[in-house]
Amino acid sequence: MLRLLGILVTVLFAIATAIVTWPGFFRLEQTFPVAQLAALRGAVVVVLAVVTIFFLLLAFIRPMRGFALSMALVSAIGAISGGVVLGVRGYGTDSLPEATDTSVRVMSWNTEGNAMGADEIAQTAVAMGVDVVALPETAEYVGEEVAVAMRDLGSPMWVHHVALRPEVQDGPQAWETTVLISPDLGDYSVIEASSDLTSNTEVVPSVVAMPVDGEGPIVVAVHAVSPQPEYMDAWAEDLRWVADQCAGGNVILAGDFNATVDHMASLGVDGGDLGACTDAAAETGNGAVGTWPTGVPALLAAPIDHVMHSAAWTATGSLVLTNLDDAGSDHRPLVVQLEPAD
């Protein structure tokens, strides 16, 4: 009886390990609680490694040896497989290539309601030489303060913004998303369907900025709702909406997707990770570096903030800034350098 119980436990553990390691294969990447575990792939790898060591030690007890070695084998395969996936996506780079006359740098930073202040955002953006700054959870007035500070530092920006329930005075900044775009990219305006929320993410807003003259990329500052149990359906719908924004053409997506590339497994088209867009961090060696939360080491955190691009662009570098973990926000900034594909 005990042997049969051990076999049953091992089989169930193997199934659970396989699902967490390859959630997209089982089409469970957007289901609770698999979605939550998949977001923390780095932490899962560490847990599986610890479990492997535990069962290897347990194997010294003769009556437990067969069961313990079986469990150790399953957890070791899971840990190695998860580690390989993270390695392919990239454990991190520490610099960006030199900017060129044609390059565009994009920064995504969920500011948690301006937790660190406009000056910190502006100084970081200018230091990184960015042309686009996506700021989920940032009020319009904060975006304007950032733009003024950047102008004073020699990098002027236009401010674009969408708010959920703007009639509410002093509402939570999670109801607002702001994007700053350099005049060097041309004039932009927020499309009406994005501005009036008739076509937008469901619970927290995103911004779709279109070039007025038809030149330059469409810029989408993304904020999808987090996959809390009560918001799972809305979260999945948000990801589908974001995917629809990149059907092709000239598009840059940036912001807090509240999802890793694992969660997007069923939403890529034409070789893209989400819609026709490709994740720039994974493309350039930073796909395994977590951006949330800052209180967890980067390789154990969740890479849920992204910059993605259509085939009109090629990512040449990326950088997750870990030196600002104490700045106030619970998200790390992500900076990406893009070059025109032509």
Side-chain angles (χ1 to χ4, degrees):
M1 179 63 71
L2 288 177
R3 183 180 179 186
L4 290 176
L5 179 61
I7 293 173
L8 177 61
V9 170
T10 302
V11 170
L12 292 176
F13 179 64
I15 292 171
T17 300
I19 289 172
V20 173
T21 304
W22 301 287
F25 177 81
F26 296 94
R27 291 292 186 263
L28 294 173
E29 71 276 7
Q30 294 184 10
T31 61
F32 178 85
V34 177
Q36 287 70 17
L37 292 173
L40 299 170
R41 182 181 284 275
V44 169
V45 167
V46 171
V47 169
L48 288 173
V50 171
V51 170
T52 300
I53 294 171
F54 170 77
F55 280 109
L56 286 175
L57 294 174
L58 197 62
F60 284 101
I61 303 175
R62 184 176 295 274
M64 300 287 293
R65 183 166 297 167
F67 170 70
L69 289 175
S70 298
M71 293 289 285
L73 177 62
V74 171
S75 56
I77 292 173
I80 293 170
S81 299
V84 168
V85 171
L86 291 174
V88 169
R89 294 174 184 172
Y91 285 112
T93 59
D94 58 6
S95 63
L96 290 170
E98 290 293 326
T100 69
D101 293 338
T102 57
S103 63
V104 171
R105 286 189 179 179
V106 183
M107 182 171 79
S108 170
W109 196 359
N110 182 324
T111 63
E112 197 182 5
N114 189 32
M116 75 291 294
D119 286 341
E120 185 75 66
I121 301 169
Q123 290 169 14
T124 302
V126 172
M128 299 308 300
V130 299
D131 305 285
V132 177
V133 187
L135 299 171
E137 297 193 18
T138 304
E140 184 175 26
Y141 79 88
V142 177
E144 291 172 348
E145 291 176 356
V146 173
V148 169
M150 291 185 68
R151 181 199 64 197
D152 293 343
L153 292 170
S155 299
M157 289 280 181
W158 294 119
V159 180
H160 305 279
H161 170 262
V162 168
L164 177 73
R165 300 180 65 186
E167 73 279 3
V168 177
Q169 296 293 321
D170 299 322
Q173 289 196 45
W175 288 0
E176 305 184 56
T177 295
T178 297
V179 59
L180 280 59
I181 302 176
S182 170
D184 292 341
L185 293 180
D187 292 332
Y188 276 76
S189 65
V190 177
I191 68 167
E192 184 176 351
S194 166
S195 182
D196 64 17
L197 305 179
T198 56
S199 175
N200 209 306
T201 41
E202 292 192 9
V203 180
V204 287
S206 299
V207 181
V208 182
M210 299 282 290
V212 172
D213 60 4
E215 301 293 330
I218 298 170
V219 176
V220 184
V222 175
H223 194 192
V225 70
S226 62
Q228 302 173 50
E230 65 271 27
Y231 289 128
M232 291 299 293
D233 289 342
W235 171 68
E237 185 59 37
D238 279 358
L239 293 183
R240 285 190 288 271
W241 179 87
V242 178
D244 289 343
Q245 306 314 301
C246 191
N250 190 355
V251 182
I252 296 173
L253 312 175
D256 178 5
F257 291 58
N258 269 307
T260 71
V261 292
D262 286 309
H263 301 123
M264 306 170 190
S266 63
L267 297 174
V269 297
D270 298 330
D273 295 308
L274 186 63
C277 277
T278 302
D279 184 67
E283 190 179 10
T284 55
N286 277 287
V289 183
T291 57
W292 176 89
T294 54
V296 174
L299 291 180
L300 300 182
I304 59 174
D305 299 272
H306 303 273
V307 174
M308 296 189 167
H309 61 88
S310 66
W313 297 90
T314 298
T316 57
S318 62
L319 187 62
V320 177
L321 303 181
T322 58
N323 61 320
L324 295 166
D325 285 0
D326 296 325
S329 175
D330 58 347
H331 287 251
R332 297 181 175 100
L334 168 66
V335 182
V336 165
Q337 182 163 314
L338 303 174
E339 291 282 357
D342 294 333

